[in-house]
Amino acid sequence: MSYMWNEFNIKTMPAETIVFRNGVYCADLSTLPNAPINKKYDLPVHIIYVGEIAGENNLEISVGAENQKVCVSVNVKNNLPAFLNIFIKNTGKNSEILGHVMLENNSELNYDCCAEHLYENTAILIKNKVLAGKKSKSKLSGITKINKDCTKCKSDIAFSAMADIGAKIDFMPAQIISSEPVFADHSAGIYTSKENQILYLRGAGLSGSEVDIAMREAFINDFDLF
């Protein structure tokens, strides 16, 4: 699946795969069916959701196997009004779900990430990034639920956005914590270029537009491999 890296900037790795393109499950690119992950696999499970979206789109991720690592890579853009809802449930003891979500909004985008811990010692860690185009509108919400008797959980839903001229961004974070976690973090921020970064790039001979492109690429690519 090297094309995933070339076309969508998705870092692939040895894994079982569940692939969606333009919101549609792709059986020919997947090694697993689009179903709850209730079996333990020797390799991590990599859920890949890429392409262009419009209208309402839902991605449901449910993990019930113990000691299973699940990686989620989302890289989508919209040129028409769109809704993207990601529902995550982890009921697998010692299982972790790690996610990178990259959204490019060129219109109106409503994005909701709901992460629910339903067993003790589970992890859900999701990094969300938004490139907000000129005069776009982005509403970004994230909610973490750690249910009763689900102790020792690790939870983090983080948002960062890079906004073009006239873009509007609303962050709506929330947490419902009913058991003591190892940690439960939630953050949101706007990415801005630092003056010393701009001066360095201009000193290297880049024009103003080239500096803008370089900073955009740095924002997009600042994801660690799982």
Side-chain angles (χ1 to χ4, degrees):
M1 294 194 303
S2 60
Y3 86 90
M4 290 291 183
W5 169 257
N6 296 326
E7 187 175 352
F8 298 106
N9 196 21
I10 295 294
K11 298 179 181 180
T12 55
M13 58 190 174
E16 302 287 354
T17 56
I18 302 173
V19 180
F20 299 83
R21 187 166 187 174
N22 300 331
V24 178
Y25 170 70
C26 299
D28 57 328
L29 297 174
S30 304
T31 63
L32 297 179
N34 177 24
I37 302 168
N38 292 324
K39 175 184 174 182
K40 174 68 174 67
Y41 295 95
D42 294 333
L43 293 173
V45 176
H46 195 181
I47 299 173
I48 301 172
Y49 193 97
V50 295
E52 187 169 336
I53 59 172
E56 185 168 349
N57 303 267
N58 298 306
L59 175 60
E60 297 186 11
I61 301 167
S62 180
V63 178
E66 294 188 4
N67 303 300
Q68 180 64 55
K69 181 176 182 178
V70 177
C71 303
V72 182
S73 295
V74 176
N75 191 335
V76 296
K77 67 177 180 179
N78 67 296
N79 294 311
L80 296 172
F83 294 81
L84 176 59
N85 305 302
I86 300 180
F87 304 102
I88 304 171
K89 294 183 178 181
N90 194 346
T91 63
K93 185 177 182 180
N94 299 321
S95 290
E96 60 180 7
I97 302 172
L98 311 176
H100 294 160
V101 178
M102 183 73 232
L103 310 168
E104 183 179 343
N105 178 23
N106 298 306
S107 178
E108 296 184 20
L109 175 65
N110 286 269
Y111 169 65
D112 182 35
C113 179
C114 180
E116 190 169 7
H117 299 258
L118 294 165
Y119 204 87
E120 63 179 352
N121 200 15
T122 55
I124 304 175
L125 312 174
I126 310 295
K127 295 181 180 180
N128 305 277
K129 288 189 174 184
V130 181
L131 268 174
K134 290 183 179 179
K135 298 182 180 180
S136 63
K137 296 180 180 179
S138 305
K139 293 184 178 180
L140 314 168
S141 63
I143 182 169
T144 295
K145 299 179 181 179
I146 300 180
N147 290 343
K148 186 178 179 181
D149 299 324
C150 296
T151 58
K152 301 179 181 179
C153 291
K154 300 175 183 178
S155 180
D156 187 7
I157 298 182
F159 287 95
S160 60
M162 189 174 188
D164 209 330
I165 299 171
K168 296 182 179 180
I169 302 173
D170 292 326
F171 294 110
M172 292 168 282
Q175 292 181 321
I176 302 174
I177 310 296
S178 301
S179 298
E180 184 175 356
V182 176
F183 62 81
D185 296 332
H186 213 136
S187 62
I190 301 294
Y191 177 88
T192 56
S193 304
K194 295 181 174 59
E195 183 178 359
N196 62 337
Q197 294 173 320
I198 296 173
L199 291 174
Y200 175 82
L201 293 171
R202 292 301 297 268
L206 274 65
S207 67
S209 60
E210 289 172 332
V211 169
D212 290 341
I213 293 171
M215 298 309 299
R216 173 190 171 101
E217 292 299 314
F219 175 75
I220 292 173
N221 292 318
D222 186 23
F223 274 138
D224 297 327
L225 190 63
F226 296 107

